[in-house]
Amino acid sequence: MFSSPKGLLHSTFNKRRVHIMDIQEIWNARPHTLSISEWGDRIEEHLEGERQNEAIFNLDPDDDREYNAIFVGGGAAGRFGSAYLKALGGRQLVIDRWPFLGGSCPHNACVPHHLFSDCAAELMLNREFFGRYWFSNLDGKIVNMKELVDLFRQGRNGPHAIMNFQSKEQLDMEYILNASARIIDNHTVEVCGQIFKAKNLILSMGSTANKLGIPGEELKGVFDYESFVEELDYEPGDTAVVVGGGKTSVIYGCFFNATGRKTTLVVRSTLLKLIPDSETRGYVIDRMKEQGMEILEGSNLIRVEDDGNGKAGAAIIQTPDGERRIETDFIFTGLGETPNSEEAAEILGLELSEKKEIIVNDKMQTNVPNVYAVGDMIGAPMEMFKARKSGCYTARHIMGEDISYVPRDWPDFVHSHYEISWFGLSEDEAREQYDNVVTIKMPPENENGLNIGLPASDRMMMFAMDKPALSGFQKLVIDGDTRKVLGAHHVGCGAKDAFQYLSRMVKAGLTVDDLGEMDELFLNPTHFIQLSRLRAGNKVLVDL
Amino acid sequence: MFSSPKGLLHSTFNKRRVHIMDIQEIWNARPHTLSISEWGDRIEEHLEGERQNEAIFNLDPDDDREYNAIFVGGGAAGRFGSAYLKALGGRQLVIDRWPFLGGSCPHNACVPHHLFSDCAAELMLNREFFGRYWFSNLDGKIVNMKELVDLFRQGRNGPHAIMNFQSKEQLDMEYILNASARIIDNHTVEVCGQIFKAKNLILSMGSTANKLGIPGEELKGVFDYESFVEELDYEPGDTAVVVGGGKTSVIYGCFFNATGRKTTLVVRSTLLKLIPDSETRGYVIDRMKEQGMEILEGSNLIRVEDDGNGKAGAAIIQTPDGERRIETDFIFTGLGETPNSEEAAEILGLELSEKKEIIVNDKMQTNVPNVYAVGDMIGAPMEMFKARKSGCYTARHIMGEDISYVPRDWPDFVHSHYEISWFGLSEDEAREQYDNVVTIKMPPENENGLNIGLPASDRMMMFAMDKPALSGFQKLVIDGDTRKVLGAHHVGCGAKDAFQYLSRMVKAGLTVDDLGEMDELFLNPTHFIQLSRLRAGNKVLVDL
């Protein structure tokens, strides 16, 4: 959350908030065509160097139309909405506190997640095969985590630079960066002392990681995904405590574990409830445990002890079996996010939910005329596709299209040491709704369980040959009567991208026969095509 | 190729051919329900152990119907065709010389390819980051290749065991394994002295790697994909010479290179002609060169020198610049395959093409009544999907369905150190056929070229952060008038599976607007959804 005496908005990161209020200088980017690497250097100067107090103005002096919309916040929702509105022939302005477009995702949220998950997958492979082939001997060794955070910090301006380049040179957007927007009313914002007016205001200021609200939380050594990337300035010891049972905590917890740290997940209710299929979920959690992770469900971190020097020294955890004390200098919280909505709500009189989501209709309209809200500000799912699409749909509505957007039935994923993807119904959900549910699984039901040499595919091949139980799990859930696919679930690697397209086909009525007709690229990470074909000849479908 | 004095068929691997002719004992598998691991042990005994002379009979004594079809060869085509015919209510028998179903693919062809490509990708990552993070120092070091071949040999029976288990217990097929079938006429085969009759005969005996036909080819140290896996019994030196410019040679050549060996590709015409998009192809080849591979196009291996001990000592290569001599004890050929068709053709009077493909119509019927041919026996594409589907379509035809199967417009892939996937038209092909071709690329056209931080996604994240030019390349080719996708091209990781589904959607008319409507799983290896969305607002599409 944030608060600001001057009414400045969407500047949730503490360090950044301080300096952003001092911004007075303006650099007119409009006449300059910077290359991507020049943008990279420039962003660096704005972030850490001599241009920290300089706003970037990229406004079109030749367009004297009133703005159709001002996007307050240039993350996924604001940037995509801007691009779309511009493409539809409108005039837009997008304003962001960062010196780049794209928002927190590439800076300290989902992009670093992917880097650390990549490291976790690589490290698991290395640890499973250490001392063999070319793998280094990591037995008992702890991999330096700060070096990997530094790798990200050093590289993250690359994608930032592309966003600025692309948005200006290819998408012809107008933007103001490295500056906060003060919302004045539903048509007006002030930036760097200048007033900007628009027919509509679109709020896309994102969300902020939730806090624990417990004693010791403010100590050095207690991180969330944002501060972990921004503030880690020491190498943590051999023990990590992670609070939360959802995406962020599992992604980071598995990474900490893979670096060789004793890692305990403290989960208030149930770990990874978000994975709908219980068998799939079980496969994921069993592998986490095998990798040495401790999981405390029904538990809460209740206090962080000071080590005497203002740093975390121990985590005190309430478990069903009583209180546990774990000595550690490293605690990570993944507790979900809350929309950065309060201040805008106060200024504009917006209606909020209990979770501080801005309440919108299917056109992303708030209760205040000409004010829209998009992305994380309207609540779950706080995912990239929804942020981007809500921005685009808002643009379409503003430009006169009759649209309706309510995200539903999207595919989803998370990383443990594996990539886990799913969409549609779990087996249990399907059995509740359908009389004749058929499943196709790999490994199939058999008395040797998982310890058999399939599935095998890219990035899982060494496991498949030597430690087959580690090579993944997958399941297709089918209505045996209509032969339609109801859901798909995958643990392994290389299926995530496919699930985007496959889920769309399933929504359009894909059957097991259609699947069997496709041309597989063998060894395909989803073995669904060939397994479906093996069953498609049957008039009465049965499990495989 | 093969020949056999006794008229035995489909026993192309020399070692195997010798013993298979001696088979006299029969084990009746029918009453036994073996677990998958029991099958694994059993296959081992048949392959290398005490049961080498014992055929496996799994025949149904309670079914007294005539066989609708006998499949001679139980690889991909024979196994899938059998499963389908059985599912349709027919009676089938499949016979294979190996003690397992599934054919050469999991034993010494496409499955080991994937293992070695996985190793190549891992080793490239390790070499690019050696001495940093957790990576071992491979500088100047050569990774033991035989150990990796042994890893495969040790693990390959796992997938074999599943095939036997699944085919018997789940698919209810009848089969005879570890025995050769002698074709007598178009309804009759003899196995282990017993006569089996069927309404139809389906030839699915696969193909054999082509030979060079040059002096020294018979020396120890000259391998193809099959003998590499079956016969490598020493650790090759620091230099590898690879002959061929297609899938097999590139897959193995990149692996040899990644192990740290000086690797020269000798290509008769042009390297990787199979990758249709020239820019994509250029990206792949440039990375191969950066990894230190030498590529000699317009060149031929003309002689292998004996080292004086019956082993390869040097490769003599005719290049456009004259003759080259490369000292090496390791030469690998990837020259394509020829169908194992000659002997069956002679016995049955089958019509063959110049390339020894059995000529079939769109129902896989040969010129001989009741004789069908499937899989590699009917020629290109010698791919898994075609083998399996041709088997299934044949089964459908035999069971009375009116079908037509001619493979066309399939997606395709190859591995270098990367995974490379494509379907549809290349940019150049599209420009020949359409007036208004639009492309969406990552990296986009820009003056810094590839050296920018996108694309980024799974398995490419470390590159994206530190060596962005190595993080991949992708391109979508679109008809700007109809807005339909014409082709897609991807170098990186994690897109291969998606290309199966995406290509099917493209055949059904997928537009850039449809793509923009999908729900991406960010960071998705194909950035196509979000990039399409950024353009979808434009009435007049332009490049991105």
Side-chain angles (χ1 to χ4, degrees), chain A residues 182-405:
Chain A
R182 188 165 69 86
I183 295 170
I184 292 174
D185 63 30
N186 58 350
H187 295 288
T188 319
V189 298
E190 181 195 324
V191 191
C192 298
Q194 299 184 26
I195 296 294
F196 293 87
K197 283 193 164 288
K199 292 176 184 164
N200 302 282
L201 214 58
I202 303 175
L203 305 177
S204 50
M205 289 111 79
S207 58
T208 302
N210 293 333
K211 297 292 182 193
L212 282 159
I214 58 161
E217 185 172 17
E218 74 293 347
L219 291 168
K220 183 178 171 80
V222 182
F223 296 94
D224 58 26
Y225 64 84
E226 183 177 316
S227 56
F228 176 69
V229 164
E230 299 291 356
E231 295 176 2
L232 186 74
D233 61 358
Y234 68 101
E235 183 56 26
D238 67 358
T239 303
V241 171
V242 177
V243 187
K247 285 192 184 188
T248 305
S249 46
V250 168
I251 287 168
Y252 279 81
C254 290
F255 168 59
F256 304 146
N257 161 267
T259 64
R261 289 173 168 85
K262 281 177 288 180
T263 300
T264 300
L265 282 186
V266 181
V267 188
R268 191 166 43 195
S269 61
T270 306
L271 181 63
L272 281 173
K273 273 187 296 193
L274 72 156
I275 299 180
D277 187 73
S278 57
E279 198 176 13
T280 306
R281 181 178 162 271
Y283 182 87
V284 174
I285 293 174
D286 286 348
R287 299 292 85 68
M288 287 168 65
K289 289 177 179 168
E290 277 176 8
Q291 291 300 308
M293 298 178 77
E294 184 185 34
I295 295 160
L296 301 177
E297 292 187 321
S299 300
N300 288 289
L301 179 66
I302 54 173
R303 195 168 74 252
V304 181
E305 280 185 12
D306 194 319
D307 73 343
N309 295 306
K311 195 170 168 186
I316 312 300
I317 302 158
Q318 188 70 53
T319 79
D321 303 325
E323 213 168 277
R324 270 277 298 279
R325 181 177 182 278
I326 298 178
E327 287 197 20
T328 181
D329 66 347
F330 185 75
I331 294 167
F332 182 92
T333 64
L335 301 164
E337 291 86 45
T338 296
N340 298 323
S341 59
E342 281 191 300
E343 194 161 336
E346 196 179 315
I347 294 169
L348 295 166
L350 297 170
E351 201 180 339
L352 297 186
S353 74
E354 276 185 17
K355 293 179 174 175
K356 304 199 171 111
E357 303 149 336
I358 299 178
I359 293 172
V360 295
N361 63 14
D362 65 342
K363 293 146 198 352
M364 274 61 72
Q365 292 173 298
T366 69
N367 62 310
V368 177
N370 302 105
V371 177
Y372 296 75
V374 292
D376 286 0
M377 303 206 76
I378 60 174
M382 291 192 183
E383 299 288 352
M384 185 59 96
F385 78 89
K386 188 266 270 167
R388 289 165 165 171
K389 287 174 76 173
S390 63
C392 294
Y393 273 92
T394 301
R396 291 170 62 180
H397 189 255
I398 285 171
M399 296 306 291
E401 290 188 31
D402 181 21
I403 58 92
S404 168
Y405 180 61

Side-chain angles (χ1 to χ4, degrees), chain A residues 122 154 389 466 497 517, chain B residues 122 154 389 466 517 519:
Chain A
E122 292 294 333
Q154 156 217 305
K389 287 174 76 173
D466 196 60
D497 207 68
E517 265 308 294
Chain B
E122 292 294 332
Q154 156 218 304
K389 287 174 76 173
D466 196 62
E517 265 307 292
D519 296 333

Side-chain angles (χ1 to χ4, degrees), chain A residues 436-457:
Chain A
N436 179 19
V437 171
V438 174
T439 63
I440 285 177
K441 296 200 299 186
M442 188 72 90
E445 284 297 335
N446 77 97
E447 65 181 57
N448 300 118
L450 299 167
N451 198 30
I452 58 174
L454 285 174
S457 190

Side-chain angles (χ1 to χ4, degrees), chain A residues 37 118 122 134 136 154 388-389 393 448 459 466 496-497 500-501 517 519-521 523 526, chain B residues 37 118 122 134 136 154 388-389 393 448 458-459 466 496-497 500-501 517 519-521 523 526:
Chain A
S37 70
D118 246 17
E122 292 294 333
W134 64 89
S136 51
Q154 156 217 305
R388 289 165 165 171
K389 287 174 76 173
Y393 273 92
N448 300 118
R459 210 174 186 173
D466 196 60
K496 185 177 71 171
D497 207 68
Q500 305 171 128
Y501 307 112
E517 265 308 294
D519 296 333
E520 63 268 38
L521 295 178
L523 283 172
T526 62
Chain B
S37 70
D118 247 17
E122 292 294 332
W134 64 88
S136 51
Q154 156 218 304
R388 290 165 164 172
K389 287 174 76 173
Y393 273 94
N448 300 117
D458 307 296
R459 211 174 187 176
D466 196 62
K496 184 177 72 171
D497 207 69
Q500 305 171 129
Y501 307 113
E517 265 307 292
D519 296 333
E520 65 267 38
L521 294 178
L523 283 173
T526 60

